[in-house]
Amino acid sequence: MDYLLTFRLSIFSTVLFLCMNFACCNNGRRVGDVMDTEFNGFSVPLEHSFEVDDVAKFRVRGALVLKAGREPSVSLSQSQLSEEDRTKLKEVAAVDGLYRVRVPRVFLQADRQTERQVEGHLTAFVRACAMVESHLSDVITLHTDVSGYLIGVSIVTLPGACRGTEVEDEVDLEAFNTTLSIMAPVNAPGPETALFIERMEQEMEKKGKNPQEQKSFFAKYWYLILGGAIFLMATSSAQPPAGGDREQS
C-alpha cells in the first residue's frame, strides 16, 4: 500500500514539473510570455495621424505581421480607437482635414529583414470625413517591386464620398474594419514571335507542296509580255519613214 502511494506521488511530481517548465503544451510559450503572433514572423508598425492643424503627428494604429516564405504574406493586427481619438477624428472631419497612414520601407518577406534597406516611410491619406462616414472601413494596399520590396501604400474608404452623414461615436468609430492587400507588378505579355514563325513555316510548307505557285515571272505573265511586244511591233510599222522625198516645183 505504501509502495503504491509512493509511486502515485512520484508520477504526480513528474507531471507537475513538466507543466511548470513547458506551460502544459501552451504552444511552446511559458506562462507569462507575450502572445504577439501565432507564428514565427516579423512585424512593422502601421501608424496614423489626424490633426486639426494638419500637422502630422504619427502614432501606432496597429502592426503588419510578415510571414516567412518566398511569397509576400502579411496580416494586420489593430487596436480600437480610444474615446479621445474618436472625438479628435470627428473634429478633423468637421474642418475637412486629412487622415494619414504610413508604413516603413521594408521587404515584405520576414526572412529578408537583415538585408540593407532604405530608411524612411511611405505615406497615404484620405479625407477624414470619408473615414468617419465609412465607419472606419478602409482598404489598405501595399505595393511592391519584383523583389518584394515595399515601394508604395494606398488607402481608400468604403464608401469613399463625404455626404455629411451623422455618425455615432461609440457605435461606429470604435474598431477598424480593414481589408489588406498586396499588389505586385505583373509582367507585360511579350510578342508572339514563336506563333508568327510557326505560321510562316506553315505557309512555306504549303507553297512547297504546290509547284504551280513556284512558277517564274515569265511563266505567270507570258501573255501580257507577248501582247505588249505585238502592240509595239504594230505601232512601229504603221509610222511613215523619217526622211521622205520633197516635192519639186
Side-chain angles (χ1 to χ4, degrees):
M1 187 71 176
D2 293 339
Y3 174 77
L4 182 59
L5 180 60
T6 303
F7 178 75
R8 289 179 178 178
L9 288 174
S10 177
I11 294 177
F12 177 78
S13 300
T14 302
V15 173
L16 182 61
F17 173 80
L18 291 174
C19 286
M20 290 178 64
N21 282 274
F22 297 98
C24 288
C25 300
N26 186 23
N27 294 330
R29 302 185 183 92
R30 297 179 184 274
V31 177
D33 284 352
V34 178
M35 297 177 63
D36 51 352
T37 59
E38 292 297 328
F39 45 82
N40 294 326
F42 182 83
S43 64
V44 295
L46 169 66
E47 298 176 305
H48 62 175
S49 172
F50 44 98
E51 303 294 335
V52 176
D53 58 5
D54 203 31
V55 178
K57 298 176 183 177
F58 286 96
R59 51 195 178 277
V60 176
R61 165 177 162 174
L64 300 174
V65 185
L66 314 179
K67 293 183 180 180
R70 296 182 60 184
E71 297 296 329
S73 181
V74 183
S75 63
L76 179 60
S77 174
Q78 300 184 101
S79 303
Q80 292 185 342
L81 281 182
S82 64
E83 183 178 355
E84 179 182 357
D85 285 341
R86 292 196 295 268
T87 302
K88 180 188 290 187
L89 183 58
K90 292 193 68 175
E91 292 175 353
V92 176
V95 297
D96 199 20
L98 298 178
Y99 176 87
R100 297 178 173 89
V101 295
R102 75 175 187 179
V103 293
R105 298 173 180 267
V106 294
F107 280 105
L108 290 188
Q109 289 94 340
D111 52 359
R112 300 188 64 177
Q113 300 308 313
T114 56
E115 299 183 20
R116 181 183 177 88
Q117 302 185 31
V118 179
E119 297 182 356
H121 292 80
L122 301 166
T123 307
F125 63 87
V126 292
R127 297 171 66 186
C129 57
M131 199 70 185
V132 170
E133 294 184 25
S134 69
H135 303 168
L136 303 184
S137 297
D138 57 358
V139 178
I140 297 177
T141 304
L142 305 176
H143 302 268
T144 69
D145 60 12
V146 293
S147 65
Y149 189 72
L150 192 60
I151 58 175
V153 61
S154 61
I155 179 174
V156 294
T157 58
L158 301 173
C162 296
R163 300 184 177 89
T165 307
E166 188 66 24
V167 178
E168 295 292 337
D169 296 354
E170 298 296 333
V171 178
D172 299 322
L173 298 179
E174 197 169 44
F176 288 98
N177 180 22
T178 302
T179 300
L180 183 67
S181 62
I182 300 175
M183 183 69 67
V186 179
N187 294 329
E192 297 181 354
T193 308
L195 181 60
F196 176 77
I197 294 176
E198 182 180 355
R199 289 179 178 176
M200 290 294 295
E201 291 177 349
Q202 291 176 354
E203 291 293 330
M204 294 179 65
E205 185 178 356
K206 288 181 181 179
K207 290 182 179 180
K209 292 180 179 180
N210 188 3
Q212 296 298 327
E213 296 184 4
Q214 301 297 323
K215 293 180 179 180
S216 65
F217 179 81
F218 183 81
K220 287 183 178 181
Y221 305 106
W222 64 269
Y223 55 94
L224 295 176
I225 298 174
L226 181 60
I230 295 174
F231 175 77
L232 291 175
M233 292 175 62
T235 54
S236 61
S237 61
Q239 292 180 355
D245 294 338
R246 293 184 179 180
E247 185 177 1
Q248 297 181 1
S249 55

